[in-house]
């Protein structure tokens, strides 16, 4: 579970980096949306595989005014991006970071020793897991579209 949460934190860091782009066009906005989607579905994987870890217990209680803080939003810092790097170089670097996250998620043993068994035993977790991977791939593709 901790590895999945770390991946969510890394995705949040990428979203933060993308939001600071001075030219936030359609493709970058869609890349951010895809990253958000991936992060949310990883949260659903955690919820399915590790019951009792819902970080938003009041989210469905209409009687409550409580809004829980964003889960897994701890600070993660990617290596500093050279301010002299071109916009193209920066986008390619972000695509590289996304590819590394895809590889981390696909490396099941890195996530949990019995992760494959857990996902195969819980069909909904498998769907959420696949959707998260697809969303990461989609974010990378949107950044590719930004490159032209």
């Amino acid at each position: 579970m901790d590895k999945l949460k770390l991946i969510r934190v890394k995705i949040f860091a990428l979203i933060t980096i993308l939001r600071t782009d001075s030219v936030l066009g359609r493709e970058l906005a869609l890349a951010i949306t895809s990253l958000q989607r991936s992060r949310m579905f990883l949260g659903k994987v955690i919820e399915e595989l590790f019951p009792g870890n819902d970080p938003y217990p009041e989210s469905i209680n209409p009687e409550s005014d409580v809004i829980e803080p964003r889960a897994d939003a701890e600070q993660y810092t990617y290596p500093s991006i050279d301010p002299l790097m071109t916009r193209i170089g920066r986008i390619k670097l972000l695509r590289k970071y996304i590819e590394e996250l895809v590889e981390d998620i696909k490396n099941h043993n890195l996530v949990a020793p019995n992760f494959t068994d857990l996902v195969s035993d819980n069909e909904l977790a498998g769907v959420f897991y696949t959707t998260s991977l697809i969303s990461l791939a989609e974010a990378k593709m949107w950044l590719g579209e930004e490159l032209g």
Side-chain angles (χ1 to χ4, degrees):
M1 179 172 63
D2 289 341
K3 185 62 180 178
L4 289 173
K5 286 186 173 195
L6 176 60
I7 292 169
R8 282 175 41 89
V9 168
K10 288 180 175 183
I11 292 171
F12 188 71
L14 289 177
I15 292 167
T16 303
I17 291 169
L18 278 168
R19 283 185 172 153
T20 63
D21 196 289
S22 59
V23 183
L24 192 59
R26 181 174 186 270
E27 285 78 10
L28 290 186
L30 288 167
I32 289 169
T33 300
S34 294
L35 288 169
Q36 290 171 322
R37 190 168 188 251
S38 177
R39 187 176 177 284
M40 290 185 290
F41 276 104
L42 274 182
K44 297 302 284 180
V45 171
I46 293 169
E47 187 180 315
E48 279 297 312
L49 296 181
F50 307 99
N53 284 291
D54 182 3
Y56 310 113
E58 293 295 317
S59 67
I60 58 171
N61 180 359
E63 307 294 318
S64 173
D65 289 336
V66 172
I67 299 175
E68 291 94 354
R70 184 184 309 267
D72 306 325
E74 295 83 13
Q75 186 66 26
Y76 179 85
T77 306
Y78 280 95
S80 294
I81 297 175
D82 181 350
L84 299 177
M85 182 181 279
T86 65
R87 189 161 193 276
I88 291 171
R90 180 181 159 133
I91 289 171
K92 287 182 176 183
L93 181 62
L94 293 172
R95 285 173 49 90
K96 177 182 174 243
Y97 290 156
I98 292 171
E99 185 60 33
E100 289 169 357
L101 288 174
V102 167
E103 292 306 313
D104 277 353
I105 293 174
K106 285 171 36 180
N107 184 352
H108 303 129
N109 290 330
L110 208 73
V111 174
N114 60 341
F115 185 75
T116 305
D117 294 336
L118 289 172
V119 171
S120 64
D121 290 345
N122 185 322
E123 188 175 328
L124 193 53
V127 170
F128 292 153
Y129 169 80
T130 301
T131 304
S132 179
L133 272 173
I134 289 168
S135 297
L136 274 178
E138 188 176 63
K140 184 179 167 197
M141 289 185 283
W142 282 121
L143 291 176
E145 285 293 312
E146 177 68 18
L147 291 173

